[in-house]
Structures are given as structure tokens and as C-alpha cells.
Amino acid sequence: MAVQYLTVDEESAGQRLDNFLIRILKGVPKTHIYRIIRSGEVRRNKGRVGADDRVVAGDVLRIPPIRLSERAEEKVANPAPAREFPVVYEDDAFMAIDKPAGVAVHGGSGVSFGVIEQMRQARPQARLLELVHRLDRETSGILLIAKKKSALKALQDQFRERETGKTYLALVKGNWPAKLKVLDQPLHKYLLADGERRVKVVGKEDPDGMRSLTLVKVARHIPAPVGLEVASPDGFSLLEVTIKTGRTHQIRVHLATAGYPIAGDDKYGDFELNRLLGRSGLKRMFLHAWRLRLSHPVSGVPLELQIELPPELEKWMRLENRH
């Protein structure tokens, strides 16, 4: 591979050099990228440049010849399969898609690719496609993808400042008490021995606890269908859950800790009930990113995006399937 010369475009201006190279040099390990920056082999306008320096439109970057590892070469040779997802909203700045359950939002932690890698393959002409936020692999619903760097920053700022309204539909075991409307409990993220992430509620004084706020409204109560009366004698509750903070597994842990685990949750749920739910046709976690209120990242106009339950959840809810 020969020396490359890259000219920084307007869209990439202001990005840190390391982040710019990680995006451009797909498949090259991050450790290698930092090594060539540190060694001075990457030059900007013929001078040395640091990993945290921000690139400017028009900068000419010299990239040394890079030999990929076998694994990285395999990744480049076998990219993610191109896939489009149902579009809920799209304009020049960003798009909202309906993510199906069972698909990770990005590659890593045991999966080689996710939604974002598949979208980039499906739209090779797109100058930029970046995830604005995340959804758990098992959760379906609205996922935002930025098409411009300015939109990415504006949307992420809204999420961070808690200016968005994110409401999910969750089906939980039991009859949720209507008076229990606010769950304000800190959460602490930790790793299991096999490296898998888990989250638990901790005391208000715990230094590792992150403030986490979940609002709950009961949409309806559903009697237990035939075959589930013993496992869930109080039936099920369909909840509208609005999160004011976006912690990992926040809804799942808050609801389970309150004694009402989400139906089909394989990490924090009732495993015996899940087995019976699978037999009755519910083969996934019943958590769906249903509604999102935000301001348009360019115009500032308020937007409300909403998608109904996916067919597999809607079908399970239908009363004729229940007896």
C-alpha cells in the first residue's frame, strides 16, 4: 500500500485527528492509528500533528502505508451486508429509522456489524452516517442517525441536556400500581466475569451511582392468557415509560427492581415466565421505543416522531389470541 494524501472536507472540519482517521481508515485497529500519529508518520500540511488536534477544511494529511492485520483485512474484504431499515423521518440533516428487535445498533461485543454498518453499506454515497444515540439489541423502535456533523452535535446536545422526550412501550409482569409514577434511583454499571455488562440500583449515597429518572404511566391492564395464569396471576401491564436520563438498561432495571420485570427480558426478567411467554408466541423482550419528541437540529422546529408496536408484539396483544 502506498502513501495516501487526504484533503479534509467541510463536513469533517473541527473533528479530532484520531476520530477523523478512525472513520476514514475503516478496519485499521485504533492502536495502529495512534502509533502512526505518535511516531510522526501522519503529517498535516507537511508538519507533525497530535491525536487531539482538530482538523481544518483544506488540511492535507499524509497517511503512511498501512498493512492491515488478517482480521482487519477479512473485515474489509467481508463488509457488513447492505441493509435499509424502515424510515420514519428523513431530511438532509438526519433520519429516524424503525430498528427491529434482535439487531445491534453497531458492531462490537460479539457482533461483527450492526445497524450503522449495514446502513453505510446500503448508502455508499452518504458522506456521513453516525448514530445519535443507542438502543439495546433486544429493543425495537425509533433510532436517530445523523447525516451531517452539525446535526449530530445538535441532537446529542439535546439528549445530554435532557431536552428530548423519549417514551417507550413496555409490557411488564403484574398489575402496576397507578400511583407509582416516578422511579428516581441511581444506577451502577458493572461487568460480569465473562465481560458482559449488567446494571443495578444502588443507594443515593453510592459514589458510583448515576442519577436515573424514569416516569411511568399505565396504558392498560391485560389479564393473563391461558397457560400463563399461574406464572403471572395478576396478568400484565402495558406501560408508557418516559426516561429523563439515558442510562444503560435503565428501564429494564428500574421496572424489574420495582418488582415488575419486562416480559421476555433475558437479563433482568422472570426466566420461567419468559419460557412460557415464548410458547405463547412472545419470543422477544417487550420493550419498544415508541415516541420521541425533539427539536429539529437545524431549524429548531419541534418534532414528534411515533411508531406503533411492531407486528409481533401487536399480534401477542390481540385479545383473540389470548383464549
Side-chain angles (χ1 to χ4, degrees):
M1 202 176 160
V3 168
Q4 293 182 69
Y5 289 92
L6 300 174
T7 302
V8 176
D9 61 6
E10 290 286 345
E11 196 57 55
S12 303
Q15 255 197 326
R16 284 172 52 126
L17 176 71
D18 51 1
N19 292 337
F20 174 78
L21 292 180
I22 287 163
R23 185 164 63 82
I24 296 293
L25 303 174
K26 291 189 170 52
V28 178
K30 289 182 188 175
T31 49
H32 189 72
I33 288 173
Y34 284 108
R35 193 180 308 128
I36 60 173
I37 296 172
R38 263 199 316 273
S39 67
E41 292 172 87
V42 175
R43 310 291 261 190
R44 173 169 63 179
N45 308 329
K46 299 186 177 169
R48 284 185 79 112
V49 62
D52 56 354
D53 287 346
R54 299 199 178 264
V55 295
V56 177
D59 276 350
V60 177
L61 300 174
R62 175 197 182 275
I63 315 294
I66 292 167
R67 229 190 74 69
L68 293 178
S69 68
E70 279 177 29
R71 186 157 158 256
E73 274 176 356
E74 189 188 333
K75 216 171 172 181
V76 172
N78 301 298
R83 180 178 176 184
E84 285 276 3
F85 295 86
V87 174
V88 181
Y89 174 93
E90 182 170 9
D91 62 20
D92 290 344
F94 80 104
M95 61 192 295
I97 63 162
D98 183 356
K99 183 189 92 67
V103 183
V105 293
H106 60 74
S109 66
V111 289
S112 54
F113 59 84
V115 169
I116 196 67
E117 290 86 0
Q118 291 180 297
M119 288 286 295
R120 286 171 183 155
Q121 287 296 327
R123 298 185 176 210
Q125 75 290 356
R127 293 180 65 182
L128 181 109
L129 290 174
E130 295 284 353
L131 289 168
V132 174
H133 60 120
R134 296 175 184 192
L135 288 178
D136 289 350
R137 192 187 312 185
E138 301 86 356
T139 305
S140 55
I142 299 172
L143 180 69
L144 300 188
I145 295 173
K147 295 165 73 175
K148 287 185 171 175
K149 192 167 59 83
S150 53
L152 177 66
K153 185 180 183 312
L155 289 166
Q156 287 182 333
D157 286 348
Q158 284 185 53
F159 277 96
R160 193 168 44 250
E161 302 300 324
R162 303 179 194 169
E163 289 162 2
T164 55
K166 286 190 285 187
T167 303
Y168 293 70
L169 292 176
L171 186 78
V172 298
K173 174 185 178 180
N175 193 357
W176 185 277
K179 66 178 189 302
L180 182 53
K181 293 177 178 167
V182 180
L183 301 172
D184 183 359
Q185 298 160 306
L187 294 174
H188 169 54
K189 195 159 51 172
Y190 63 100
L191 293 178
L192 296 177
D194 62 1
E196 204 179 332
R197 281 184 312 177
R198 282 287 191 281
V199 177
K200 64 182 177 185
V201 165
V202 292
K204 292 259 194 287
E205 311 307 315
D206 193 307
D208 295 323
M210 300 282 279
R211 171 102 196 268
S212 307
L213 190 59
T214 303
L215 309 180
V216 182
K217 179 183 166 193
V218 179
R220 61 197 251 217
H221 179 255
I222 297 153
V226 172
L228 292 173
E229 308 97 315
V230 175
S232 191
D234 295 327
F236 297 87
S237 303
L238 183 67
L239 307 177
E240 293 178 18
V241 184
T242 301
I243 52 172
K244 293 297 184 184
T245 49
R247 309 293 179 214
T248 302
H249 300 166
Q250 176 175 330
I251 296 174
R252 299 163 70 173
V253 175
H254 269 174
L255 300 185
T257 304
Y260 301 86
I262 295 177
D265 187 341
D266 65 356
K267 285 187 169 72
Y268 307 99
D270 177 328
F271 304 135
E272 177 55 25
L273 174 62
N274 289 349
R275 196 173 61 75
L276 297 170
L277 283 166
R279 282 195 200 157
S280 74
L282 184 66
K283 299 186 186 303
R284 54 159 287 196
M285 177 170 70
F286 201 126
L287 183 60
H288 178 66
W290 171 52
R291 189 174 65 210
L292 181 60
R293 294 189 175 119
L294 67 154
S295 301
H296 191 280
V298 179
S299 66
V301 170
L303 291 176
E304 180 173 305
L305 308 173
Q306 186 170 313
I307 42 175
E308 295 316 312
L309 285 171
E312 72 272 14
L313 298 185
E314 193 59 63
K315 185 179 169 194
W316 193 87
M317 294 281 290
R318 271 194 223 117
L319 291 172
E320 61 258 34
N321 276 10
R322 316 181 66 72
H323 298 291

